[in-house]
Amino acid sequence: NILMGSGSFSEKLLNILIIVFCVFLSLSVHEMSHGLAAYAVGDETAKRSGRLSLNPMQHLDPFGALCLFLFGFGWAKPVPVNPWNFRYKKLGMVITSFAGPLSNFVLAFLACIGVVLLQGEGIMGLIATICYYLVIYNLGLGLFNLIPVPPLDGSKIVGAILPQRLYFKFMEYERYGFIILIILINTPFFSRFMGIARSAVISFFGMIIQLFV
């Protein structure tokens, strides 16, 4: 859309660079938050693997990043976690899994404040544009990863809170998770649902911001 739209080549290139920056930052924050949460509740696997970092090259999953560019939702390379290191395994897994999407919602909220406060031309307008894309991509990443389909974070959260008998039944479908996701992504219903969910969260953020701005 950017390449086909109006504007000079330099403006289009700047927009693309902004999007690349926002995608990489969003993915890195998401995965680093998984690692930090796991470390906080007793597992050092992510730390030893060098995943407590904002360096996007440590976290990049090419296909997940491509989906984030094209569709506004995606994923990164999973952070290695050993739940046997958690004192409370199920609680530790829920905390670790939810930390990624939560970090994206927090970053989206902060960026939403930036969109509201930063108006004008020049550097202020540039930062406001960065904040706009951060809102879009972080909400897409956070919402998408809460879907309870393996290997997304939502499946790990659901799996951790299920009784053991149901957990093993649920995990029988893990091998089909990628196929389910591909089918889901290509349904018109999914795009509409994601758009509605993202708009609802943005409206909620707006209500909170209006109380203080």
Side-chain angles (χ1 to χ4, degrees), residues 133-147:
Y133 283 117
L134 283 174
V135 171
I136 298 301
Y137 285 115
N138 276 278
L139 288 184
L141 186 61
L143 290 167
F144 180 67
N145 273 279
L146 285 178
I147 297 171

Side-chain angles (χ1 to χ4, degrees), residues 58-86:
Q58 297 289 338
H59 308 294
L60 188 64
D61 180 297
F63 186 66
L66 181 63
C67 284
L68 198 60
F69 278 116
L70 297 178
F71 307 115
F73 49 83
W75 57 92
K77 185 168 61 176
V79 165
V81 173
N82 184 358
W84 293 103
N85 291 326
F86 299 148

